[in-house]
Amino acid sequence: MKAAAARVAVLGAGLAGATCARMLTDAGFNVQLFDKSRGVGGRLATRRAEWTAPDSSLQRANFDHGAPGFNAHSQDFCAFVEQAHRDGLLARWVPSMAPGSYAPLDAPALWVPVPDMPALCRAIAAGLPLQTGCTVDGLRREHGGWCLLSAGETVSTELDAVVLALPPPQAAALLAPHQLAWAQRLQAMPMLPGWTLMGTTTEPDPGANTDAGWGLGWPTSGPLAWVVRNDAKPGRIRTPGQAQWVLHATAAWSHTHLEAPAAEVQAALQQALAVWLGRSLDWQHVAVHRWRYASVPRAAATPGRCWWDAGTGLGVCGDALGGAGVEGAWLSARALALAMTAAP
Ligand SMILES: Cc1cc2nc3c(=O)[nH]c(=O)nc-3n(C[C@H](O)[C@H](O)[C@H](O)COP(=O)(O)OP(=O)(O)OC[C@H]3O[C@@H](n4cnc5c(N)ncnc54)[C@H](O)[C@@H]3O)c2cc1C
């Protein structure tokens, strides 16, 4: 595809969309980025919570309620994260494991964007034309180019190419009228759901230093898969006398309780933490979030890690094609940008 003046819309400003948009822009394409959320990051997400304490003071805490962190294995992704580390966008987190955790052979060591999870995507997408709060719900072919539709309005026209960097079910809905075979393959891809609890409790010992405690727990049974002390992660704000928790339920438990009322899920996860810790907790603030499409099961990447049809100008990337997880999303986006910028 010829870069000069080529107009490309990238749908989804998670890591895949931000990375693809950045690489295409750097190669000379005229790129617009769209996301339905208020900001970038997608499942690299941080929730800002505010509540009023019993003494009427305003309290605040941030919770990384999507991916807690990620690993890097491939040479290309390792090179990317090491550069991001040098640029101050990522920190290495080697959490102390909670007693009673599943014990892996190697201690977990995760990359964590700082100061919050979307920070990595914010840096990658900095300066790119970005429209947030825009759910693209239709693609139309008109006068040889693509149009984007959102809530009955045309939001972009005369596009030479459209990149879908969306979770598979959302990409499938847009592709069905134009690329039925791709849509059917995306629709058939399994996605794991996840219920997440975000909350703060009063520390049993107000003088306790979270550095001296543990940062991560992997329960071996029950509803909880990950117990994260969010305030033990690098670059996060710590409040004396307060513990900040992010609890991720297992995919199986989340699947069984997918349509359960939030209050019921919240109570069950609070109870699960108390049972696992073996003590009662004094909750100050608590909320839950349901990820209908949290992650894709680890699997071999799709051949080529992306789909690109130069004839129609449609491209698809994201974790589901790249082999799962944050690394899969980045590898897929890079593969698509390279395919699109390759000589015709
Ligand atoms: C609870 C949880 C735990 C996880 N744990 C890990 C882990 O330990 N390690 C790991 O590697 N990965 C983990 N992941 C998965 C990881 O976060 C994802 O694989 C990765 O972030 C996916 O990036 P992406 O860019 O492909 O998709 P996303 O980040 O989902 O980005 C897609 C974007 O598209 C936008 N969008 C969707 N539909 C539309 C539309 N119609 N119009 C416009 N915009 C739209 C969304 O708002 C979103 O911003 C976890 C995820 C969750 C939720």
Side-chain angles (χ1 to χ4, degrees), residues 70-92:
F70 54 86
N71 298 114
H73 300 286
S74 64
Q75 201 179 349
D76 289 332
F77 192 56
C78 285
F80 166 76
V81 296
E82 277 153 21
Q83 183 58 50
H85 185 214
R86 285 192 291 277
D87 292 342
L89 298 170
L90 291 177
R92 195 79 171 134

Side-chain angles (χ1 to χ4, degrees), residues 171 181 247 255:
L247 314 180
H255 180 74

Side-chain angles (χ1 to χ4, degrees), residues 9 23 53 59 68-69 82 113 124 132 187 205 207 239 256 296 311:
M23 288 184 68
Q59 303 287 314
E82 277 153 21
I124 295 170
T132 53
Q187 207 70 64
D205 167 10
T239 303
T256 306
V296 288

